Amino acid sequence: MEYEVIIGLEVHAQLNTDSKVFSDSPSKFGAAPNSQVSSVCLGLPGSLPVLNEEALTKAIMAGLAFGSNITLHTKFDRKNYFYPDLPKGYQISQFDRPICEGGKIHFTVKGEDKPRFVNLTRIHIEEDAGKLIHSADPKIPQSYVDLNRAGTPLIEIVSEPDMRSSDEAYYYLLALKSVLRYIRVSDCNMEEGSLRCDANVSIRPKGSDKFGTRVEIKNLNSFKAVKAAIDYEVEWQRDMYTQGKTFPQQTKLWDSASNVTLTMRTKEMSHDYRYFPDPDLPPVILTKETVEDIRKTLPELPDARRDRFVEKLGLPKYDAEVLTAEREIADYYESALKVSGDAKKTSNWVKDEVLGIVNKESITISEFKVSPERIGGLVKLIADGKISGKIGKTVFEEMLGTDKDPETIVTEKNLIVVRDDKEIERIVDEAIAANEDAVQKYKSGKDRALGAIVGYVMKVSKGKADPNLVNQMLLDKLGPLPPKG
């Protein structure tokens, strides 16, 4: 039997506020255990939560970026469950009135031209729980509780079950992460737990409109893990149905060492959490004017920026996708372009040379030592014909180790393109005499042979000869390429 895969994702993104969502405790990653807690984080009697306004604003920004409807009259609820890293015995979340409802995330699967989209159910604000650290020594069966993370602000982005493959889930997550980073509401650092994903997976006979039994795979901490876990779970469910077996709705964990999903518990339903409005937090009442003021702070989003790079700057789609993948990269490119004035040449230098080093050294483009203005100046020298592309590489290497601008380096090292016709003609004549075999191949109709002669000229001139002038002189002396045959 053929089966259709049904996937919905729940993504928890940590909002990058300085303090927690309901207290003034800091939310910085990496501090000593239990050093960033307050009476609210500890759930001490008499402690009262107070909503962090910045967290509310950033949640609204995320909703607006995804085209959600903003709930003007919202509230917070208590989600009751008991676990050692949740000292209050409940989590403050949102149940029936989430801050954002609806919306879409647009993405393109690699190798396809047609864009896709997944509908969102909701985005709501909630606090994170603490963290259990288990003893590495099997002889010491102990666990330790670190409450630094308790109370950090999260938004949970819940999709509709619109995805039909792990590939769709993967590229959906890439698009989601890109938008959140563009609007700077979350750093989405999965290694630090700033972005975590739960995958809801089921299968059903193709053509059926009924959903199969759903399995939720919890706390997937990389996009690669999401894809692998979904693929494994789909095969497991297919095998179960093929054997005529059934299984209950359940929650699983992903074992990355064994590449299998493992049952953790049967799946809770909303009534199991006994939601009720938090009596310590007043309702949040917003005005349309407040929401519109927040909308005005949104930057140009990645899809719109990519389309502008293609339509207005004339860049190939691939270039535009690379340059707009991160807001900082797109900003760097546009700053360089303001100086260079050449969109395509600037694109080549940023995506090939600059990002080549950024990726090799595993740094951000903000940490790259050469400013976009200096890169733009280098590209302008090449675009204006003052230096060749080969000389440009030499200048770039020098720029990596100095704060000098490219014009200064070119002047100090005497790298300006040679435009002396007599000097270039002398080298061209020398190249023709030294490359008789290439000359004969060219005269027999092999156009690539001309490249060997040009290469000789550039080598002798140390890359300083004007390549356009060299090509023209060679054509004048050797004549046009004869027809083949």
Side-chain angles (χ1 to χ4, degrees):
M1 182 179 292
E2 274 195 83
Y3 289 97
E4 181 181 36
V5 179
I6 310 295
I7 301 166
L9 298 181
E10 300 171 10
V11 176
H12 290 85
Q14 180 176 327
L15 300 174
N16 53 3
T17 56
D18 291 332
S19 58
K20 296 184 179 179
V21 63
F22 298 117
S23 77
D24 59 1
S25 299
S27 57
K28 188 176 181 182
F29 177 81
N34 297 307
S35 63
Q36 300 193 134
V37 295
S38 66
S39 58
V40 176
C41 308
L42 295 170
L44 297 180
S47 58
L48 292 173
V50 177
L51 176 61
N52 182 332
E53 185 178 354
E54 185 183 7
L56 176 67
T57 298
K58 289 190 171 184
I60 294 170
M61 288 177 68
L64 292 173
F66 293 127
S68 305
N69 296 314
I70 307 303
T71 305
L72 298 181
H73 186 175
T74 186
K75 64 182 176 66
F76 290 93
D77 303 276
R78 291 187 180 182
K79 180 181 180 182
N80 296 273
Y81 63 94
F82 299 92
Y83 211 63
D85 60 3
L86 193 68
K88 295 196 297 284
Y90 61 85
Q91 177 190 33
I92 301 176
S93 182
Q94 293 188 296
F95 179 48
D96 56 334
R97 298 190 71 84
I99 186 65
C100 310
E101 293 185 293
K104 289 180 173 61
I105 292 181
H106 298 264
F107 61 94
T108 303
V109 174
K110 187 175 182 179
E112 298 182 359
D113 291 328
K114 188 177 180 181
R116 306 186 187 197
F117 68 86
V118 166
N119 291 296
L120 297 182
T121 306
R122 57 189 278 154
I123 301 173
H124 63 261
I125 303 169
E126 63 185 22
E127 61 178 346
D128 205 348
K131 182 179 181 181
L132 286 178
I133 302 169
H134 306 291
S135 172
D137 187 346
K139 296 179 181 179
I140 307 176
Q142 293 181 342
S143 294
Y144 306 90
V145 181
D146 179 8
L147 293 174
N148 277 350
R149 204 166 69 185
T152 54
L154 303 176
I155 49 172
E156 182 173 349
I157 304 168
V158 183
S159 83
E160 290 288 309
D162 289 348
M163 286 162 270
R164 297 294 178 263
S165 71
S166 62
D167 279 341
E168 286 192 11
Y170 180 85
Y171 288 101
Y172 164 92
L173 289 171
L174 283 180
L176 181 151
K177 177 182 176 181
S178 178
V179 171
L180 292 181
R181 285 177 58 86
Y182 251 75
I183 61 177
R184 293 178 177 161
V185 302
S186 175
D187 61 24
C188 297
N189 189 332
M190 299 190 84
E191 292 179 356
E192 296 181 1
S194 299
L195 193 71
R196 306 192 297 275
C197 179
D198 302 337
N200 293 290
V201 182
S202 65
I203 63 174
R204 65 186 177 190
K206 221 162 194 181
S208 172
D209 58 357
K210 295 182 179 180
F211 289 112
T213 303
R214 175 167 57 93
V215 170
E216 182 180 26
I217 311 168
K218 295 287 286 185
N219 292 330
L220 297 163
N221 59 5
S222 74
F223 293 172
K224 182 180 178 182
V226 172
K227 192 174 187 311
I230 290 172
D231 286 338
Y232 176 85
E233 182 61 29
V234 168
E235 288 305 310
W236 181 83
Q237 292 186 23
R238 184 179 283 120
D239 287 345
M240 292 291 286
Y241 287 137
T242 301
Q243 296 173 43
K245 297 179 180 178
T246 59
F247 52 92
Q249 186 167 303
Q250 59 192 280
T251 298
K252 288 187 172 184
L253 293 177
W254 172 244
D255 184 337
S256 57
S258 303
N259 289 321
V260 297
T261 55
L262 302 172
T263 299
M264 184 167 65
R265 59 179 182 264
T266 56
K267 174 62 181 167
E268 301 92 341
M269 305 299 286
S270 62
H271 62 264
D272 293 319
Y273 292 118
R274 296 179 292 114
Y275 283 99
F276 67 88
D278 192 304
D280 293 333
L281 285 162
V284 176
I285 300 175
L286 302 167
T287 65
K288 291 182 180 179
E289 290 75 21
T290 298
V291 173
E292 287 309 308
D293 286 344
I294 294 173
R295 190 191 302 275
K296 291 173 185 176
T297 68
L298 289 176
E300 184 180 29
L301 297 175
D303 284 355
R305 204 168 194 181
R306 182 198 62 224
D307 292 345
R308 176 168 63 82
F309 280 11
V310 172
E311 296 165 8
K312 298 294 176 67
L313 301 181
L315 292 182
K317 184 179 177 183
Y318 173 78
D319 288 32
E321 287 175 346
V322 171
L323 295 173
T324 58
E326 295 281 349
R327 180 177 172 182
E328 290 75 16
I329 295 172
D331 289 346
Y332 186 101
Y333 168 75
E334 294 215 72
S335 294
L337 178 59
K338 285 180 182 177
V339 178
S340 73
D342 190 307
K344 179 55 179 168
K345 279 187 170 63
T346 305
S347 170
N348 291 343
W349 273 87
V350 172
K351 70 182 178 66
D352 296 336
E353 305 303 329
V354 174
L355 293 185
I357 293 175
V358 165
N359 294 331
K360 182 180 178 181
E361 296 184 0
S362 298
I363 59 175
T364 66
I365 199 162
S366 303
E367 297 169 313
F368 183 62
K369 60 188 71 174
V370 181
S371 71
E373 290 76 18
R374 292 170 70 206
I375 289 293
L378 174 61
V379 175
K380 182 169 176 57
L381 289 173
I382 298 169
D384 291 347
K386 294 181 179 179
I387 61 173
S388 64
K390 183 177 180 181
I391 291 295
K393 297 285 182 69
T394 301
V395 176
F396 180 66
E397 290 295 325
E398 185 80 12
M399 290 166 66
L400 293 173
T402 178
D403 291 333
K404 295 178 181 177
D405 60 68
E407 293 87 349
T408 300
I409 295 171
V410 167
T411 302
E412 289 180 351
K413 294 188 172 292
N414 191 27
L415 297 174
I416 292 291
V417 164
V418 176
R419 298 183 185 280
D420 184 333
D421 289 14
K422 290 185 177 180
E423 176 61 15
I424 292 178
E425 186 172 15
R426 181 190 68 76
I427 300 174
V428 166
D429 289 338
E430 179 185 326
I432 292 172
N435 292 273
E436 293 182 4
D437 185 53
V439 170
Q440 291 305 315
K441 287 181 179 179
Y442 173 79
K443 289 184 175 180
S444 66
K446 296 179 179 178
D447 56 345
R448 290 187 179 180
L450 193 66
I453 308 172
V454 173
Y456 182 95
V457 175
M458 300 309 291
K459 181 179 179 180
V460 171
S461 69
K462 297 180 179 179
K464 293 163 63 175
D466 183 345
N468 293 325
L469 186 55
V470 171
N471 274 282
Q472 188 56 54
M473 282 188 176
L474 283 170
L475 291 174
D476 289 343
K477 291 177 180 291
L478 299 178
L481 184 74
K484 293 182 180 180

